[in-house]
Amino acid sequence: MLTAREDDGMIDAVPYTKIMFGKTLVPGDYLEVYGNFVKGAGRFTLNIRDKSTFILLHLTFRPWRRTAGTIMNSNRYGWGSEVRPGYFPNFVSGDVFKITIVCMDDHYKIYINDVVLTTTFPIRAGLALSTASYLTLEGHSTDEFSFTKIKMPGTDKSEIYTLRNALSDKLVELVGVIGPNIRGKNLTAVKAYCDTDEGALALFKWQLFRLIDETEELLDTESPMYSWILNTREPLEMLMTSGDVHRNFKGALNILAKLVSKDPEITESPLKLRIAVATALSFERDVHSLANYETLINDEERYSSFISWIEEDVLYAPFYEVTAWHLRYVMGSTIATEEFIWARENVPDEFRFADKIALATHKMVKYKLYNDDGVSVHAGAAYYYYKPVTMENIHKIGGVCGAISKFGAGMVNASVYQQPGASLATVPTCGTRTEHGPLETIMAAWVQA
């Protein structure tokens, strides 16, 4: 049995080891367990136990069974109901893995290689956190398997716990600010409040924090990197009303904050702000090059490229006039930077106009079911001689519907703001996807919440 702690809080561990906590667990405490995963491991288990036979948390991974999965349970005079998160980590043989268990107020939060299990495990009746006494580790394998290091609970609190609580406190604080100005008020008074900078800022901030909180993400609301965005109406409103994200407003916020840090002129330039917000919303998840899916397009490079092209005055007038909502179609384009340049350099003179640029496709790309060597387009990569399907190669070799559409979109995105066939009149002016304005949409969310 181990109880010693080294200066860094790490101790050695081996399978079937029993390690005393040496303190009473309280919310905010956490432990980290590291191990080596070996192909052939049947299962490995972590148990938080009390001094008797009760198991407060049973966490087991079954990698190589037909029913591979993650299982959580507890045992108090018998096993309780299993909780299966529906997520199983991608363990790779020979890799070191990390499992983090964070003690929250009424549940345990589990991270595997810093990826959170969205399903938490409750602190069940009769198994109070304060009764936890020790941790057991069990590894079962057909080959050598071991837990290697453990960081046991100490005096430091988990950042996960403190930031989650701080975000919850901020939401409560914002409800306290917004509520008295809305509850029991007539529609005119509510609209008047929403139109003020104070009211709009509070509502947009509440919506952002609520969406991040729902995804179990962490956010340091006091971080200087977010200060300008969270306390200035224009960037926050633009971020929250310029398009949907894939449940990752934290990612979009981080990208915007990074761009502001790299280019402080964003805070003074409305155009740069629109481009930065469009970039943040487009790159909150990976953007893959359409020519080569394995290549990721970089958000900073995309932003910097368009800023350079503005300085070179190579973009058509509509680019400077449209909103961040529209600019998402350009900044999030899967066309690589060098293809943007190729498109502008090679478009025929008669199509070098904003209202004609899309028509260049019909002259520059031949509709061909077979390439010049008779290879069918249905042969896939062979049709393009196993080259990346760039705009230049489409121009030289040809293609059918998909390639022509890709070429047309790239040609338009290289010069102006909109996708082929999407005119300014038909594209909504904000990202709410409703007939109402952004504040009305957020107010609807407030009422539902």
Side-chain angles (χ1 to χ4, degrees), residues 286-306:
D286 291 341
V287 176
H288 297 262
S289 167
L290 200 57
N292 182 358
Y293 188 81
E294 299 301 317
T295 301
L296 292 178
I297 297 175
N298 180 269
D299 51 13
E300 291 183 52
E301 181 190 4
R302 175 57 50 88
Y303 172 82
S304 298
S305 295
F306 273 89

Side-chain angles (χ1 to χ4, degrees), residues 294-367:
E294 299 301 317
T295 301
L296 292 178
I297 297 175
N298 180 269
D299 51 13
E300 291 183 52
E301 181 190 4
R302 175 57 50 88
Y303 172 82
S304 298
S305 295
F306 273 89
I307 298 302
S308 296
W309 295 333
I310 289 171
E311 295 171 354
E312 296 169 14
D313 195 25
V314 297
L315 303 174
Y316 291 144
F319 182 89
Y320 302 89
E321 301 167 359
V322 296
T323 68
W325 198 98
H326 299 94
L327 287 173
R328 291 178 307 128
Y329 289 97
V330 179
M331 308 316 292
S333 173
T334 55
I335 303 301
T337 300
E338 58 271 19
E339 293 190 77
F340 277 127
I341 296 171
W342 181 91
R344 285 197 298 273
E345 290 178 348
N346 288 275
V347 62
D349 289 341
E350 65 264 34
F351 298 108
R352 291 181 181 273
F353 303 94
D355 58 345
K356 294 182 178 181
I357 185 68
L359 301 177
T361 303
H362 302 298
K363 183 171 183 177
M364 297 182 71
V365 182
K366 293 181 179 180
Y367 187 96

